Amino acid sequence: MYLAQIYVHHKASILDPQGEAVLNALQRLGYDKVDSVKQGKYFEVNIKADSEDEASKVVNDIAKDLLVNHNMESYEFELKEVAK
Amino acid sequence: MYLAQIYVHHKASILDPQGEAVLNALQRLGYDKVDSVKQGKYFEVNIKADSEDEASKVVNDIAKDLLVNHNMESYEFELKEVAK
C-alpha cells in the first residue's frame, strides 16, 4: 500500500482569487510579513499497489481523469510506502 | 524570505464528505486500486522573515487566526528558504 500526497494548485499564469482573499484577510489582521498566498487542494490517497512505479501510474491517471483541471492547474505528488 | 507549504486536513475522527465523493467517483471510473481518499486544503505562503524560527511563528499564528478550524482540522507545514 502506498500513500500519495497530491498537491494541486493554479498554474502561475492563472489568477488565484481564493489566495488573494486570504492574503487580504491576513493583511487586515496585521500580518505584514505575509507577502503572498496561493491556495490549492490537497489529497491523501491510499493506493493498493505492489511497487512505487505502479502507484505512481495510478496517481498520474487519477490526476488526469478527475483530480486536476489541466487547463488551469498543475500538480505534484509524493509517495510513501505504508502498512496494509 | 521563506516559502511555507501548509497542508490542512480534517482530523481523523471527522467525516470527510469531499474525500468520500472523490473516492466514489474514482471507483465508478474503475480505479479499484484506490483504497481511500482524504481531501484537504493546501496553502503556499511567502513570508518575509529573517530566520526559520520567525517564519515558523508566523505560520502557527496565521493557522490559529485564519487558515485552520481547530475544532475539525489539523495542519502540518514545511518551510523552505527562497530568494527575496
Side-chain angles (χ1 to χ4, degrees), chain B residues 19-47:
Chain B
E20 286 293 313
V22 172
L23 178 62
N24 289 341
L26 288 172
Q27 287 175 340
R28 274 199 306 278
L29 289 170
Y31 287 105
D32 50 6
K33 284 177 184 161
V34 175
D35 192 61
S36 70
V37 178
K38 297 204 153 203
Q39 181 165 351
K41 282 177 285 185
Y42 169 56
F43 298 94
E44 285 185 349
V45 182
N46 275 306
I47 298 168

Side-chain angles (χ1 to χ4, degrees), chain B residues 1-18:
Chain B
M1 184 88 91
Y2 285 82
L3 169 65
Q5 297 176 291
I6 308 171
Y7 320 115
V8 181
H9 46 78
H10 286 86
K11 290 182 180 173
S13 57
I14 303 285
L15 280 177
D16 172 12
Q18 284 185 303

Side-chain angles (χ1 to χ4, degrees), chain A residues 40-42 47 81:
Chain A
K41 283 176 284 183
Y42 169 56
I47 297 168
E81 195 163 5

Side-chain angles (χ1 to χ4, degrees), chain A residues 22-75:
Chain A
V22 172
L23 177 62
N24 290 341
L26 288 171
Q27 286 174 342
R28 273 200 308 278
L29 289 170
Y31 287 105
D32 51 6
K33 285 177 182 162
V34 176
D35 193 62
S36 69
V37 177
K38 297 204 152 203
Q39 181 166 352
K41 283 176 284 183
Y42 169 56
F43 298 94
E44 286 185 350
V45 181
N46 275 304
I47 297 168
K48 288 174 270 184
D50 297 322
S51 71
E52 200 165 315
D53 276 359
E54 190 188 348
S56 184
K57 188 181 177 310
V58 173
V59 172
N60 285 314
D61 286 348
I62 66 178
K64 181 167 166 283
D65 279 357
L66 193 76
L67 301 184
V68 179
N69 174 347
H70 292 269
N71 299 317
M72 293 174 58
E73 296 173 331
S74 58
Y75 69 103

